[in-house]
């Protein structure tokens, strides 16, 4: 799994073309099972991905105009889910 912490560097509106292109990419990732969840946070975003390594996430976000056009920058971390709600299927159930 990968956690992406996005930090806004330039202002944009959810109605801007650049955000629509970002949202389209996120929708594609959700449809193919790569995106677990994403959403805004104060000053940026948090994205959780089903990927094995940081480089795969960097390659994926090279296609994201919010990153490519300087609207935001990313911190990318690999992690292993330890505990999770069993309904998510993200981790084995702990007795």
């Amino acid at each position: 799994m990968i956690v992406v912490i996005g930090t806004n560097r330039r202002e944009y509106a959810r109605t801007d073309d650049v955000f629509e292109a970002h949202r389209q990419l996120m929708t594609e990732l959700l449809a193919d099972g790569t995106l677990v969840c994403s959403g805004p946070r104060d000053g940026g975003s948090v994205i959780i991905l089903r990927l094995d390594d940081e480089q795969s996430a960097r390659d994926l976000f090279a296609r994201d105009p919010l990153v490519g056009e300087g609207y935001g920058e990313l911190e990318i971390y690999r992690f292993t889910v330890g505990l999770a709600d069993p309904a998510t299927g993200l981790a084995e159930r702990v007795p």
Side-chain angles (χ1 to χ4, degrees), residues 7-71:
T7 301
N8 296 341
R9 293 294 174 221
R10 289 174 50 196
E11 295 288 323
Y12 62 89
R14 291 177 158 268
T15 56
D16 291 347
D17 290 344
V18 70
F19 182 79
E20 184 53 38
H22 164 76
R23 187 163 178 79
Q24 182 177 349
L25 174 61
M26 294 295 103
T27 300
E28 291 169 12
L29 296 175
L30 184 63
D32 74 14
T34 301
L35 177 65
V36 175
C37 62
S38 68
R41 67 172 182 85
D42 288 342
S45 62
V46 176
I47 303 167
I48 311 261
L49 303 167
R50 283 188 183 92
L51 292 172
D52 293 328
D53 58 77
E54 296 95 332
Q55 188 58 52
S56 296
R58 283 186 197 89
D59 293 346
L60 188 152
F61 282 101
R63 301 175 14 213
D64 189 335
L66 284 181
V67 176
E69 295 181 27
Y71 287 89

